[in-house]
Amino acid sequence: MGGDSNCGFRTVSGLLGKGKENHNVVHQTLILKLMVHRELYTRLYGKKEESHKIHNALVPCVSGSVPVGKCVCFPKVGHLIVSAYDRVCIDLTRYGFSETFFQLWSRPSQDPSGHIICIGYIRSLHFVRVYLKLGCPIPATSVEWTTHFAKEAETWSDHFLEMMTEFTKLSELERESNRKKSKKEPVLDLSSDNSFGAF
């Protein structure tokens, strides 16, 4: 059932324990949050056009072909998710920048590490639920959070510094391993007469 414009919202609904078929409630909740705090999110996203694009992507697509814009609002809706549901939200992918989203305008709860949801991005705009072990490595803080958080919210990242540092170390080790593998792979010379035929 994944791969349509509702895939990411089904994932969020499932992670929140609301059942993936209740994704329309997630759509409406995030739209309301964006509308109520439109000025704040416009500053966060940089311009009104970006805020409008995210709003349009949040409106469910009922039928017909799905425009690409309906799917690209992830991970940008991470800020809306944490605000609407009081959860830390992690966007995890191997095809771009993984990020951790914290509350922008409120203090951390007593046990912030116990309120994490993680959305995994696979390929072809498909999202899945990811269940993390307590204390496992998590990606670095969202860039927008580091430049827009309010004074009350400044200690959010302090609770996760070790986990984020470990994630960065593991990512660097993986990149180094991939670089070494790519250097060892033989290069096929297709310019000589002995080359294989076209594929």
Side-chain angles (χ1 to χ4, degrees), residues 3-6 10 59-68 70-71:
D4 64 10
S5 68
N6 296 316
R10 286 194 182 96
V59 177
C61 187
V62 179
S63 61
S65 60
V66 180
V68 174
K70 284 290 183 184
C71 300

Side-chain angles (χ1 to χ4, degrees), residues 7-194:
C7 177
F9 302 99
R10 286 194 182 96
T11 301
V12 173
S13 185
L15 287 167
L16 292 169
K18 299 178 181 298
K20 62 183 182 179
E21 293 311 317
N22 288 322
H23 60 86
N24 279 332
V25 177
V26 175
H27 281 276
Q28 297 305 321
T29 302
L30 299 184
I31 289 171
L32 180 62
K33 184 62 66 173
L34 181 61
M35 292 176 67
V36 170
H37 302 288
R38 185 175 294 279
E39 288 187 15
L40 293 171
Y41 284 109
T42 297
R43 288 202 302 272
L44 177 73
Y45 297 130
K47 50 188 177 181
K48 284 185 178 180
E49 291 82 0
E50 188 67 22
S51 184
H52 288 315
K53 185 164 67 174
I54 292 169
H55 179 274
N56 292 335
L58 288 170
V59 177
C61 187
V62 179
S63 61
S65 60
V66 180
V68 174
K70 284 290 183 184
C71 300
V72 296
C73 62
F74 279 87
K76 292 218 175 264
V77 294
H79 298 290
L80 295 171
I81 293 169
V82 299
S83 181
Y85 296 106
D86 196 26
R87 305 288 183 100
V88 174
C89 181
I90 296 173
D91 174 58
L92 197 61
T93 175
R94 295 186 68 183
Y95 304 95
F97 292 105
S98 297
E99 294 180 291
T100 299
F101 298 87
F102 299 122
Q103 288 275 9
L104 285 157
W105 303 293
S106 64
R107 290 181 174 83
S109 58
Q110 285 189 328
D111 181 25
S113 61
H115 295 83
I116 296 176
I117 61 172
C118 183
I119 304 163
Y121 174 76
I122 303 178
R123 59 183 179 275
S124 302
L125 298 174
H126 184 65
F127 301 90
V128 295
R129 286 176 274 182
V130 178
Y131 296 97
L132 304 176
K133 291 183 178 179
L134 191 65
C136 75
I138 63 173
T141 311
S142 158
V143 174
E144 289 97 346
W145 185 88
T146 60
T147 55
H148 288 86
F149 66 81
K151 181 72 175 176
E152 294 81 1
E154 67 179 347
T155 60
W156 268 100
S157 61
D158 295 348
H159 297 273
F160 300 92
L161 284 177
E162 289 185 14
M163 298 160 68
M164 290 190 288
T165 300
E166 186 63 23
F167 186 94
T168 301
K169 288 179 181 177
L170 291 173
S171 297
E172 289 172 354
L173 287 172
E174 183 180 19
R175 283 193 292 270
E176 182 61 28
S177 175
N178 289 336
R179 278 195 293 268
K180 288 179 179 178
K181 285 180 183 177
S182 64
K183 287 180 180 178
K184 290 181 179 179
E185 290 176 358
V187 178
L188 182 63
D189 183 6
L190 298 178
S191 62
S192 69
D193 293 335
N194 295 326

